[in-house]
Amino acid sequence: DVVLTQSPLSLPVTLGQPASISCISSHRLVHSDGNTYLSWFQQRPGQSPRRLIYKVSNRDSGVPDRFSGSGSGTDFTLKISRVEAEDAGVYYCMQGTHWPPWTFGQGTKVEV
Amino acid sequence: EVQLVESGGGLVQPGGSLRLSCAASEFTFSSYWMHWVRQAPGKGLVWVARINDDGSSTSYADSVKGRFTISRDNAKNTLYLQMNSLRAEDTAVYYCVRDLTGEDDAYWGQGTLVTVSS
């Protein structure tokens, strides 16, 4: 199974400052169809998760442009250009290239 | 607005059974793969099972294989998870999710809590 390792696991951030979360995969995540199925999810306290980014760098509808995803192969990053109060929560990377299973990282708690 | 509404959770004894349902609305349910993802209290997200759009193909996490069965009724726009031989470690909030990796939004339900305890 693919293991996704996130760092840091806890990220204190200051309003208006940038933040970055790393996700390292145990296997290259390029699918035979040429796509890389690496997504990022946000879970605010008490809420269901919400997908922010799919296929490494594509923002879902309604996701603010301060969120961006990048990376390739085994190394991926989620960046928040200027943290806002509503960005507090836990962020998970997830791979859907080598399934089953679909696997999630351990989660990174962002504290604003 | 797309809605996924889970139901069927509750308290069950170890070894017992439970069937979760997920009612979908405001999208063409029969066009999407669907997943169940669970989250134990205070823990991270864990994928449980997946079914393709017409129900002909399923996949399971090793931890639930042989005990859980995912199914769907496209005429009723409903996803199911039959859970048998439940264990304490199955205690979690169970979410149904539309297409985790596709280009359309990956909607999540509000979740339903399953507690396995004597």
Side-chain angles (χ1 to χ4, degrees), chain B residues 23-37:
Chain B
S25 59
E26 301 303 325
F27 69 97
T28 306
F29 179 70
S30 59
S31 296
Y32 291 88
W33 287 22
M34 297 294 295
H35 300 256
W36 288 99
V37 174

Side-chain angles (χ1 to χ4, degrees), chain A residues 43 48 51 55 60-61 92 102, chain B residues 39 100 102-105 109:
Chain A
Q43 187 174 31
S48 300
R51 196 177 68 181
K55 289 197 287 186
D60 277 281
S61 59
Y92 298 90
W102 284 255
Chain B
Q39 186 171 36
L100 278 167
E103 296 187 359
D104 292 344
D105 289 347

Side-chain angles (χ1 to χ4, degrees), chain B residues 8-23:
Chain B
L11 175 64
V12 61
Q13 292 189 340
S17 297
L18 217 50
R19 188 175 87 153
L20 307 183
S21 299
C22 172

